[in-house]
Amino acid sequence: YIQADPIIIPDSFEGYPLRYFNLPLHYRDDLNYVLIPYGLVQDRIEALASRIFHDLTINIPEQLICICVLKGGYRFFSDLISKIQNENRLQNNRSLPMSLEFIRTRSYINDYSSNQLEIIGLSDLNNLKNRNLLIIEDIIDTGITMVALKEQLEKFQPKTIQVVSLFTKRRKDKQCIFKPDYCGFEIPDHFIVGYALDYNEYFRDLEHICILKESGVAKYKI
Ligand code: 5GP
């Protein structure tokens, strides 16, 4: 059975040298190494899609409301949904109908989490009462965003709320206050970019999950 818990990337993992990858010229000098190659991200998402599909179609399937947390979550959302759609095409005795919603959260300035969390688009969500929700998030760091978001969504009185996050971070200082139901990878306490995760709006247009060089951090600081 496919694991819902993350693949653990140990602190000792030094990543993959850049020279083995095709990287955009405009970011090559700003990166230190590749932490997780795009292909591995895709394989893990495919496995998560299959696990979610099997878990949520045990009973008569009800429409699942998939909530995309923009902007960082858009690639994961899109790939996860399309892989669940593949399951819908391939399995002929099970299916999982879905509807798609979009919200936006923002808490990061430079590479640290600020205390002010903005949630945009909640007022556009209607009809969540008695529905099954799946929140699709890119990364959980302190867990503050997810706790706040879940609290806001509870107000709509949904039947269930589940959370899938592509990454969680193993924090050095204190424990994360939120554990997702499904997770792709647990990473060391580094700031990651790529695959739609940004640093001040840069690096979303990079395929692999990478760690920045000091000079890259300085170059795009605001
Ligand atoms: P939390 O509230 O759990 O501390 O932070 C969650 C949000 O912070 C994520 O949705 C993401 O937008 C941002 N974030 C946390 N860690 C990282 C990181 O390593 N890289 C990037 N690009 N964003 C991060």
Side-chain angles (χ1 to χ4, degrees):
Y1 205 52
I2 290 165
Q3 270 281 342
D5 288 335
I7 295 177
I8 311 276
I9 301 185
D11 286 344
S12 58
F13 182 62
E14 288 174 351
Y16 303 93
L18 303 181
R19 64 179 180 279
Y20 295 111
F21 296 89
N22 225 337
L23 295 160
L25 179 63
H26 53 276
Y27 293 141
R28 238 173 262 174
D29 292 340
D30 307 323
L31 303 173
N32 195 352
Y33 57 88
V34 173
L35 183 72
I36 310 173
Y38 176 78
L40 180 54
V41 170
Q42 292 299 314
D43 286 335
R44 183 66 185 126
I45 296 175
E46 186 181 297
L48 284 175
S50 148
R51 170 71 193 254
I52 290 169
F53 180 86
H54 281 93
D55 284 356
L56 301 189
T57 53
I58 287 170
N59 302 314
I60 298 164
E62 294 172 50
Q63 193 186 44
L64 180 68
I65 303 190
C66 300
I67 302 179
C68 175
V69 185
L70 295 168
K71 296 177 183 177
Y74 102 91
R75 298 276 316 252
F76 176 43
F77 180 83
S78 154
D79 287 336
L80 184 72
I81 299 295
S82 82
K83 289 177 200 305
I84 296 175
Q85 283 177 206
N86 287 346
E87 297 279 339
N88 276 334
R89 273 203 304 277
L90 299 172
Q91 312 275 338
N92 43 31
N93 53 358
R94 283 174 171 236
S95 68
L96 180 59
M98 295 176 284
S99 72
L100 314 182
E101 296 290 348
F102 299 83
I103 54 166
R104 192 168 158 192
T105 62
R106 196 169 48 173
S107 65
Y108 263 61
I109 299 161
N110 289 324
D111 51 357
Y112 56 88
S113 189
S114 78
N115 289 327
Q116 301 115 312
L117 173 75
E118 276 181 89
I119 305 174
I120 302 159
L122 275 179
S123 58
D124 298 338
L125 301 179
N126 37 45
N127 252 343
L128 299 189
K129 197 170 170 151
N130 283 325
R131 310 294 295 279
N132 299 312
L133 313 187
L134 179 67
I135 304 175
I136 303 177
E137 171 71 299
D138 52 356
I139 180 165
I140 296 172
D141 181 2
T142 60
I144 293 170
T145 303
M146 202 40 73
V147 167
L149 179 57
K150 229 179 138 177
E151 215 174 85
Q152 293 298 316
L153 290 170
E154 300 279 6
K155 293 186 184 159
F156 294 93
Q157 299 175 287
K159 183 151 90 182
T160 60
I161 302 184
Q162 289 194 295
V163 176
V164 53
S165 182
L166 185 53
F167 305 106
T168 49
K169 221 181 261 188
R170 200 169 45 253
R171 296 176 61 84
K172 287 198 200 92
D173 52 349
K174 51 180 188 272
Q175 275 240 307
C176 174
I177 59 168
F178 188 87
K179 185 179 183 292
D181 301 280
Y182 302 93
C183 184
F185 303 88
E186 182 189 280
I187 61 163
D189 200 354
H190 302 312
F191 188 79
I192 57 170
V193 294
Y195 192 65
L197 283 94
D198 75 313
Y199 172 60
N200 293 335
E201 299 302 328
Y202 289 91
F203 304 101
R204 291 196 202 275
D205 56 335
L206 169 71
E207 303 298 330
H208 307 293
I209 297 295
C210 296
I211 306 292
L212 297 175
K213 272 188 197 162
E214 295 278 330
S215 62
V217 173
K219 182 170 163 188
Y220 299 103
K221 203 162 214 123
I222 48 175

